[in-house]
Amino acid sequence: MRAVCLTLPTNRECAAAVTAIGAEAAHAARRFGVRVHLLVLDSADPAARARHAEALAALPPAGGVTVHHLDEDAQRAFLRQVIGRSGLPGADRLLDLMLPDAVSYGACTNRAFLLAAALGCTSVHRRDSDSRYQLLDGAPVFPIDHELATIGRKAADAAAAVTEHTLDPAHADKPVSLVGASFIGELSVDIGEIRELDPALHHRVVGLWAPTGASEPDRRALVADSFTGGGTEPFTVDRAVLDLPDIWRIDMCNIALDHQVYERVPLPPATDTIGSDYFLHHLVRDATLPGVTHNRHIVNFYTPERRTGPGFTAYQLRWTKFLLSMLYLYPVYADLEAAGGALLDEHHRLRPEAVADSARRSAATDRAENHRRLAELDRCYRQLGGKYAEFADHLAPLRARLLDEAQADIEDFALLVDAWGPLVRASRAGGTSWTSGAGRATEAGWTSGACGPSRPSGLSGPKGLSGLSGPGSGPARGAA
C-alpha cells in the first residue's frame, strides 16, 4: 500500500488545526486507499502538547491512518539514531542543524522529511498551525485531493487529473514533483500594519528584499505582489494546472513534495528567520520538474503574539534576517535558473552537488548590500516611530552578529546538503525502530509517550512567500 506523510509542525497551541488535519488524513485514506502517516512535530509548551494529545486521541477511528505525535525529546532521539547510523563526522553539529535551539522553518520540515523516509512514505504533505480549511457547502475543501491525484505520477499520466494541461511535452515523462496552492486571508508576512501606517515606507521596507540592482518598476511589481497569496476570493470550483509549478502561488502551508525531491536536497536550516522553507520551490521549477498549481487555498490568520512585546521583536528580527538572507540566496537562485534541466540526472533525479557547490560560492558574496539593507531598514523604522523605532534601537547593536549569521546560514546549508544523502539512507535503514521509547504510533489514535517535557523551539512556518514576483522567497533554520 502506498504510504504518505501528512505533517503538522507546531510550536503553539493549535488543537483545532490538529483536529482538522486529522479529518483530512481520514479523508485521504478513505478516498485514495493510501496509508496516511499523520505526523505532528510538537515543540509547544507542555500544556499545549497535552491539548494536542487530547485532540489526537479524540479523532474518530479511521482505517489507514497512523498517528505519530512527537515532542522534541522524541525527535532528538530519532535524529541521534539516524546520525549515528549514517557514520557522518560532526554528529553534534548535524544534530544542531536538524534540531537547533531556535526557530527554524527549514529544520522542522527537514525533520519531517527524514521521518517520512523512515516510514517508507513516497510524499510529504505539509500544513501549518495558523491556518484552516475553506468550506464549500459546509464541507472542508481538502488540498490533499489534488495532491494525491497527481504527486509522483508521470506528468503524461497525471494530465487526466487536472483541469488545465499547459506543460511542454518535453517534460511529459518526468514525475509530478510538487503540488500546491496558497492561502487567502491575512498577508503571509505580518507587515500589513506598516502599509496602513505609511504606504511609502511600506514600499521601501518590502522593496529591501529585491535583488541587488533591481529596477524601480521591478521593485514596485515585487512590492505589490509580495506575500498576498491567492488573494481574497473564496473557493467555488476546482482549477488545477499541470505545468512547471507556479511557485509564487504555492505556500508551505499547502504543499506536497515527491520523495525524489526532499530525499535528494533538504531545506536551508537557517534559524530565526522566515522563508527558508521555500527553497525547494525554486529548485523544482528551475530543474524543469512538473508540478500542479491548484486553487484549494487554505485560510491564513495571524496569531496575536507577533504584534506586541517580545513576540513583535522576535518576528521583526526574523524579518530582518530574511532580508539579509537574500544576499546569499539570490546568487543560488540565479545558478539554478541558469543550470535548468542540467540539475537532473538521466533518471530525472536532482543533482544535490550542484546545489551545495552554488551555496558555498554564494557564501563569499560581498556584504555591502546587506549593510545598505540594514541602514535603510533603520531609517524607515525610525520614521515609523513607536514600537518600530524601539525595534531599530534594539537592532542597532545586533548588526554585526546578524551579518555573520546570514553568511553562516548559507554555509550550514551547503554542509547539510553534503550530508543529506547519508542521513536519508540511514533513516530508511532504521525504519520504525525509533518508535519504541520515543512515542508509539497507533492506528487512528495518538502517539502515547511522546508528550514529555521539551523546550519550545519551533514554529509552524510563515505563510508566505507565495505571491512573489521576484525570483525568490527567503530563508529560515530549525523548529517546528
Side-chain angles (χ1 to χ4, degrees):
M1 179 184 289
R2 174 186 175 194
V4 303
C5 176
L6 178 59
T7 187
L8 174 69
T10 185
N11 75 335
R12 58 171 68 94
E13 197 285 323
C14 62
V18 168
T19 299
I21 198 174
E24 187 175 26
H27 169 83
R30 182 172 59 251
R31 176 168 179 182
F32 292 92
V34 296
R35 164 71 63 185
V36 180
H37 290 281
L38 175 53
L39 176 64
V40 179
L41 299 180
D42 201 336
S43 296
D45 61 68
R49 290 200 308 274
R51 287 192 287 274
H52 300 159
E54 291 170 0
L56 290 167
L59 292 175
V65 178
T66 303
V67 176
H68 312 268
H69 183 200
L70 277 69
D71 67 10
E72 288 197 355
D73 288 342
Q75 295 173 54
R76 190 175 296 106
F78 166 74
L79 292 170
R80 288 190 192 280
Q81 288 183 30
V82 168
I83 293 168
R85 193 180 298 114
S86 74
L88 290 164
D92 290 342
R93 176 94 182 275
L94 289 171
L95 182 61
D96 184 57
L97 294 181
M98 291 299 303
L99 185 57
D101 191 12
V103 170
S104 174
Y105 302 124
C108 70
T109 311
N110 286 338
R111 298 197 293 275
F113 291 159
L114 291 187
L115 285 157
L119 291 165
C121 296
T122 59
S123 55
V124 165
H125 309 250
R126 196 182 108 169
R127 307 290 182 257
D128 285 352
S129 62
D130 52 352
S131 55
R132 59 180 178 266
Y133 301 106
Q134 293 193 70
L135 299 177
L136 181 65
D137 298 329
V141 179
F142 291 132
I144 207 160
D145 284 349
H146 285 304
E147 294 170 351
L148 290 180
T150 56
I151 193 72
R153 297 179 66 186
K154 188 162 66 172
D157 297 333
V162 298
T163 62
E164 298 178 41
H165 177 195
T166 54
L167 184 70
D168 187 322
H171 308 306
D173 287 336
K174 297 175 183 176
V176 174
S177 299
L178 186 157
V179 180
S182 190
F183 62 90
I184 62 171
E186 307 262 19
L187 291 176
S188 61
V189 175
D190 197 354
I191 53 174
E193 184 181 57
I194 299 176
R195 186 174 60 185
E196 295 168 4
L197 290 170
D198 192 319
L201 287 177
H202 173 266
H203 173 85
R204 288 166 59 186
V205 169
V206 177
L208 288 173
W209 83 274
T212 303
S215 68
E216 186 54 31
D218 285 346
R219 194 179 299 268
R220 281 197 301 270
L222 180 142
V223 172
D225 208 26
S226 289
F227 319 124
T228 56
T232 59
E233 290 297 317
F235 176 86
T236 56
V237 64
D238 275 309
R239 180 173 184 263
V241 181
L242 174 64
D243 201 336
L244 300 185
D246 184 357
I247 62 174
W248 301 280
R249 290 292 178 264
I250 294 176
D251 195 84
M252 279 301 290
C253 69
N254 193 351
I255 194 169
L257 288 160
D258 182 62
H259 72 107
Q260 290 287 8
V261 174
Y262 63 77
E263 290 184 354
R264 305 283 290 180
V265 178
L267 291 165
T271 56
D272 293 321
T273 183
I274 59 174
S276 60
D277 45 349
Y278 287 75
F279 183 85
L280 294 179
H281 288 56
H282 296 270
L283 182 57
V284 167
R285 181 179 177 87
D286 290 336
T288 67
L289 287 169
V292 172
T293 308
H294 63 86
N295 66 337
R296 292 193 170 204
H297 304 311
I298 281 176
V299 181
N300 178 46
F301 60 87
Y302 289 146
T303 51
E305 75 274 2
R306 292 180 179 180
R307 295 183 168 177
T308 58
F312 174 81
T313 300
Y315 192 82
Q316 292 299 319
L317 276 174
R318 292 197 282 274
W319 165 250
T320 303
K321 279 198 67 179
F322 163 65
L323 298 176
L324 298 179
S325 75
M326 300 316 300
L327 179 73
Y328 303 102
L329 287 171
Y330 277 129
V332 179
Y333 294 152
D335 285 349
L336 299 181
E337 186 174 9
L343 293 166
L344 303 177
D345 66 16
E346 66 275 16
H347 303 293
H348 308 312
R349 296 177 304 198
L350 292 163
R351 298 181 185 272
E353 62 276 6
V355 177
D357 290 347
S358 178
R360 272 189 286 272
R361 288 193 301 272
S362 176
T365 304
D366 186 271
R367 293 183 177 185
E369 179 66 11
N370 271 355
H371 284 283
R372 185 195 70 80
R373 284 185 171 111
L374 287 173
E376 176 68 355
L377 189 67
D378 182 87
R379 284 189 290 269
C380 291
Y381 276 26
R382 292 191 188 283
Q383 289 181 54
L384 285 167
K387 63 184 180 181
Y388 292 95
E390 291 175 4
F391 176 75
D393 289 337
H394 176 78
L395 183 62
L398 304 179
R399 286 188 181 190
R401 191 197 83 194
L402 294 177
L403 290 166
D404 289 341
E405 287 181 2
Q407 179 178 336
D409 285 343
I410 199 71
E411 293 168 342
D412 286 345
F413 180 42
L415 185 153
L416 188 60
V417 175
D418 287 339
W420 195 245
L423 291 175
V424 169
R425 289 190 290 273
S427 298
R428 282 205 216 101
T432 57
S433 61
W434 51 274
T435 58
S436 64
R440 295 175 294 282
T442 62
E443 181 82 9
W446 66 291
T447 309
S448 59
C451 293
S454 142
R455 73 193 191 298
S457 83
L459 274 199
S460 66
K463 241 55 64 250
L465 301 167
S466 55
L468 302 184
S469 60
S473 52
R477 175 162 139 185

